[in-house]
Amino acid sequence: MCRMARPRKPLLSRDRIVAVAGALVDAEGLAAVSTRRLAAELGVSGPSLYNHFRTKDEILEAVADAVSARVDLSMFDPDAGRDWRAALHDWAVSYRAALADHPNIVPVLVRGPGRRPAGLRVADAVFGAMVRAGWPPAQATRIGALLRFFVTGSALGSFAAGFVDDASAYDPADYPHLGQAHLLAERQERIDRDAFETGLRALLDGLALQHAALPDPAGGGPGPRDNRGDRGGRDDDGSVATER
Amino acid sequence: MCRMARPRKPLLSRDRIVAVAGALVDAEGLAAVSTRRLAAELGVSGPSLYNHFRTKDEILEAVADAVSARVDLSMFDPDAGRDWRAALHDWAVSYRAALADHPNIVPVLVRGPGRRPAGLRVADAVFGAMVRAGWPPAQATRIGALLRFFVTGSALGSFAAGFVDDASAYDPADYPHLGQAHLLAERQERIDRDAFETGLRALLDGLALQHAALPDPAGGGPGPRDNRGDRGGRDDDGSVATER
DNA sequence: ACCTGAACACCGTTCAAGT
DNA sequence: ACCTGAACACCGTTCAAGT
């Protein structure tokens, strides 16, 4: 009966806030998350959240980071025995699957890894593995970036999603090639997945051509060089000349 | 002096609203666009906007469409004499440039072409040109989608943007490969552009391998088939078996 | 330290009223 | 037809007050 202002045991924790916020985003979308609504879901009043996060945006960032943290990175482990191409493929597939499981948070996620720890762990793992595979550091940076472009783009901007399932919206005189556009809507997921697979294969095929054209690594050893721990750190910032 | 409720000449038009909204988005970002703020910028009161658009979101969609409309599509014109690869390259570059000119509207743009006319014109142009170049219709659909994934992903989710320009945020013990991370921030634009170029080349190289492996088009004519106007329209919906 | 209600300065949208 | 002010049901965030 005692309606206290503060219970002996804290009602909230960052983890619980993030878990409930994530569930709410998944169930009802980003727009459903207001501080008042989220607080109600947690059984507290709105301003209570500000004891644990500085802004609502920080809460959403934490939700996004939790999703990023679920992306498998084990394929970049040197002990996993995956070559760079197989590792990139597995990573992209795992990355896309994680985003597809939580599509509503993707708009937050794509704002960049930011200070989110999981985003940084990903960038570090990709970079390290590509350098170990013989890619110049500047190129390793680009590969991490461009694969992220492709995966997040495929998770966010469904191409087929645009085609509304309403044939009357499309006058064939305006769009001579889109007569079947309304059919595309119902097959959206299939098309997006096929486009993702086609694009990923093309991307990896194209990168393989570039990798094959790489000069032998300095020192001329037979195996792939492994420079964990002793990179000079002076050419991993993009300062290496581009090759075109 | 007469403060009339309605002037003899309308104060607003859809075009003027879109133009001012676009300028506001460019100058101060999406968050700065409230109906009241936009109306003030237009010299009217908030609710006036609802005489021209049904929702605020429709206004933003129109702004996004205006940006889409500025993407060059002339490279897909059969008279332009560009092969499919050169046309895709030029389109991707033009597309990215249009988005880079108006980065703040990109989150709206990536929600899909929707009913926006410009988005549909783009999809139609790419699809038509790819089919003319001999790609099976299902594959032509995928190519449009996957290039859109890559271009929008590169415009939205800057990889380097995540690295805050503050070395203290990165404990080398946590991220062994990111010692120079704070340097990345100031080179963000360069890295993103290089990653885009590297990825685009890889994508096109990879697609060229797939195109070269295509069986000869039915009918066995020497030139690329041109089926403008007489596609059956029954296999452009993704029903063609994938080749993996 | 952690939660509360009240309050501030906003939102998008509706609507009756004006001309 | 097109614009207005008033109003409704919200926002994110701050803050003094409680324990």
Side-chain angles (χ1 to χ4, degrees):
Chain A
M1 74 221 327
C2 49
R3 52 168 71 91
M4 287 181 287
R6 174 180 177 250
R8 60 195 66 224
K9 192 94 201 243
L11 295 171
L12 294 178
S13 68
R14 286 177 65 96
D15 282 352
R16 200 164 88 84
I17 292 170
V18 171
V20 172
L24 186 55
V25 169
D26 284 346
E28 304 189 31
L30 267 183
V33 183
S34 72
T35 54
R36 285 169 173 87
R37 171 74 195 279
L38 173 57
E41 218 81 28
L42 286 157
V44 298
S45 77
S48 302
L49 300 170
Y50 292 86
N51 287 299
H52 302 269
F53 289 92
R54 269 188 319 209
T55 62
K56 173 190 164 181
D57 206 60
E58 263 188 16
I59 299 175
L60 293 176
E61 292 282 329
V63 171
D65 197 52
V67 171
S68 290
R70 296 182 62 252
V71 177
D72 186 17
L73 294 177
S74 63
M75 66 288 287
F76 294 122
D77 192 320
D79 301 332
R82 306 291 277 161
D83 65 43
W84 67 267
R85 184 189 168 135
L88 284 181
H89 177 272
D90 294 352
W91 172 55
V93 169
S94 162
Y95 196 173
R96 182 174 199 269
L99 301 191
D101 277 348
H102 306 280
N104 296 337
I105 198 64
V106 176
V108 175
L109 226 155
V110 295
R111 298 200 290 233
R115 289 170 177 271
R116 288 187 268 115
L120 290 167
R121 267 214 341 275
V122 171
D124 193 56
V126 181
F127 180 85
M130 292 307 108
V131 170
R132 271 198 306 279
W135 286 102
Q139 201 68 351
T141 299
R142 291 183 198 126
I143 290 171
L146 70 89
L147 263 175
R148 195 182 127 92
F149 293 165
F150 181 66
V151 172
T152 57
S154 77
L156 232 192
S158 164
F159 191 70
F163 298 103
V164 188
D165 198 2
D166 172 8
S168 71
Y170 304 95
D171 184 333
D174 293 340
Y175 312 108
H177 304 291
L178 293 181
Q180 308 290 90
H182 62 290
L183 289 181
L184 292 179
E186 62 192 39
R187 312 197 188 192
Q188 163 192 339
E189 279 193 25
R190 172 70 186 282
I191 291 169
D192 288 345
R193 199 184 59 238
D194 289 346
F196 172 76
E197 285 174 6
T198 297
L200 179 57
R201 185 142 46 112
L203 224 25
L204 296 175
D205 283 348
L207 288 176
L209 291 177
Q210 292 182 33
H211 191 264
L214 245 32
D216 281 339
R225 81 179 184 217
D226 184 334
N227 54 4
R228 265 176 300 169
D230 66 349
R231 286 183 305 104
R234 49 184 199 291
D235 56 352
D236 57 345
D237 53 23
S239 60
V240 170
T242 55
E243 62 275 39
R244 68 172 335 180
Chain B
M1 62 189 9
C2 47
R3 50 168 73 91
M4 286 181 288
R6 174 179 177 250
R8 62 194 65 227
K9 191 94 200 243
L11 296 171
L12 294 178
S13 68
R14 285 177 67 96
D15 282 352
R16 200 165 87 82
I17 291 170
V18 171
V20 172
L24 186 54
V25 168
D26 284 346
E28 305 188 33
L30 268 183
V33 183
S34 72
T35 54
R36 285 168 172 89
R37 172 73 194 280
L38 173 57
E41 218 82 27
L42 286 158
V44 299
S45 77
S48 302
L49 300 170
Y50 292 85
N51 287 298
H52 303 268
F53 290 91
R54 267 188 320 208
T55 62
K56 173 189 163 182
D57 206 60
E58 263 189 15
I59 299 175
L60 293 176
E61 293 282 331
V63 172
D65 197 53
V67 171
S68 291
R70 297 182 62 251
V71 177
D72 185 18
L73 294 178
S74 63
M75 67 288 287
F76 293 122
D77 192 319
D79 302 332
R82 306 290 277 161
D83 65 44
W84 68 268
R85 183 188 168 134
L88 283 181
H89 177 272
D90 293 353
W91 172 55
V93 168
S94 164
Y95 196 173
R96 182 175 199 267
L99 302 191
D101 277 348
H102 307 280
N104 296 337
I105 198 65
V106 176
V108 175
L109 226 155
V110 296
R111 297 200 290 231
R115 289 170 176 272
R116 290 186 266 116
L120 290 168
R121 267 216 338 278
V122 170
D124 192 57
V126 180
F127 181 85
M130 292 307 108
V131 170
R132 271 197 307 279
W135 286 102
Q139 200 69 350
T141 299
R142 291 182 198 128
I143 290 171
L146 69 91
L147 263 176
R148 194 182 127 93
F149 293 165
F150 182 66
V151 172
T152 57
S154 78
L156 232 193
S158 164
F159 191 70
F163 299 102
V164 189
D165 199 2
D166 173 6
S168 71
Y170 305 95
D171 185 333
D174 292 340
Y175 312 109
H177 304 292
L178 293 182
Q180 308 289 89
H182 63 290
L183 289 180
L184 292 180
E186 63 193 36
R187 312 197 189 192
Q188 165 193 335
E189 280 192 25
R190 172 71 186 281
I191 290 169
D192 287 345
R193 200 185 59 240
D194 290 346
F196 172 76
E197 286 174 5
T198 297
L200 180 57
R201 185 142 45 110
L203 226 26
L204 296 175
D205 283 348
L207 288 176
L209 292 177
Q210 291 182 35
H211 191 264
L214 244 34
D216 281 340
R225 80 180 187 218
D226 184 332
N227 53 5
R228 267 176 299 171
D230 66 348
R231 284 184 303 105
R234 51 185 197 290
D235 57 351
D236 58 342
D237 54 20
S239 61
V240 169
T242 54
E243 61 276 38
R244 69 175 333 182

